[in-house]
Every structure is written in structure tokens, then in C-alpha cells.
Amino acid sequence: MASDPHPLDLSPAALETMASLTIRLAAAIEEECETIGARQFSRLKGQIERKLQLVGAYDRQLALMGGAAAVAADEGARARLGEPTKRLRDAMALHTVRVAAARTVTDRLVRSVAEAVAEKARPVLGYGPRAGLRTAYAAPAAMAIHAQA
């Protein structure tokens, strides 16, 4: 029987590395949530870049440890990573809410701008019933915003 070329590393050092990465990733997401909540969107680019670096390191460490299933199956790993993982999950849940709220505000703003543009673009055709102005009806045009990722 051949030995596994990539043995699982669930050593105390690997668990501490994973705990540290989990805490740092949670902190990065919490910071991003604060920035979104404060509507300081110009600060997000650097924060997102740092978060993505942490996500990459987190994924690599998790792979070295055998993946989420292997970590969850190990009692010592569950004990050491339970609290950091809870913090990460809470941060991710808050992030989902903050991003959804920011997106709703942005969508409403874009819709309002599109409606204002459409209103200005409606030519007056003349007078209608009861001397009301008749305008050409044009539904607000869809607007697409391309954001660099």
C-alpha cells in the first residue's frame, strides 16, 4: 500500500496557523463592514486586496490540513478553531447584510438617475385632454455600471 504523498497536517503549529489566519480574515471582513457602514468606499480597494490575500492563505492552509472535512473530523482541531470560526462566520453574515444594503442604495440611486434622464428626454408633443401636456413616453433605460474587480 502506497503512503499518502500529502499527509494531513493537524499539528498544534498548523492549528495555530489556521486559527491566526481565521482571526485575521475575520478582522479584515469586520474592517470592511465598518468601512461600508461609514460609506467610505474609497478605502475599500486596499482592504479588499488584503482580504483576498488572507483568503488565499486561509485556503492554502486548509488544504494542507486536509480540507474542511478533515479539520471538522478532528476533535482537537474543532476545539482550537471553534471560536475563531464562529467569529469568521459572524463577520461574513454581517458582511452579507452590509453589501446587500449598499447595493440596494446604489440600485435606487441608479434607478433615480435613469428616471430623471428619461424625464428630461421626453419631448413635448402638444396638448392632450383638458389642456394637459402630451409627452412621448420613454421608459427609463437600463444602465449598467462596470466596476473594476
Side-chain angles (χ1 to χ4, degrees):
M1 178 177 219
S3 66
D4 186 0
H6 302 288
L8 305 182
D9 184 3
L10 294 171
S11 66
L15 290 174
E16 286 308 310
T17 299
M18 191 66 188
S20 174
L21 285 168
T22 304
I23 291 166
R24 289 172 51 206
L25 181 55
I29 293 170
E30 292 163 353
E31 181 182 11
E32 193 174 307
C33 288
E34 288 175 21
T35 300
I36 292 169
R39 293 185 172 90
Q40 297 175 341
F41 302 113
S42 61
R43 292 179 42 211
L44 283 175
K45 184 177 181 182
Q47 291 175 351
I48 291 170
E49 289 171 356
R50 283 190 298 278
K51 179 182 72 176
L52 291 176
Q53 289 174 349
L54 285 168
V55 166
Y58 178 95
D59 286 345
R60 286 187 297 277
Q61 182 63 27
L62 189 59
L64 288 173
M65 296 173 73
V71 173
D74 185 83
E75 188 174 322
R78 282 194 319 271
R80 176 60 186 104
L81 299 175
E83 197 56 39
T85 300
K86 181 186 179 321
R87 180 177 172 187
L88 179 59
R89 285 185 180 143
D90 291 346
M92 289 169 50
L94 176 62
H95 188 267
T96 299
V97 170
R98 291 284 170 97
V99 169
R103 182 175 182 151
T104 298
V105 169
T106 302
D107 289 348
R108 288 180 182 166
L109 178 62
V110 169
R111 187 177 309 116
S112 177
V113 168
E115 289 171 357
V117 168
E119 184 71 32
K120 295 276 187 197
R122 290 183 190 147
V124 175
L125 299 176
Y127 293 100
R130 298 187 193 107
L133 290 177
R134 283 186 347 179
T135 61
Y137 177 75
M143 296 179 71
I145 298 175
H146 174 72
Q148 285 185 318

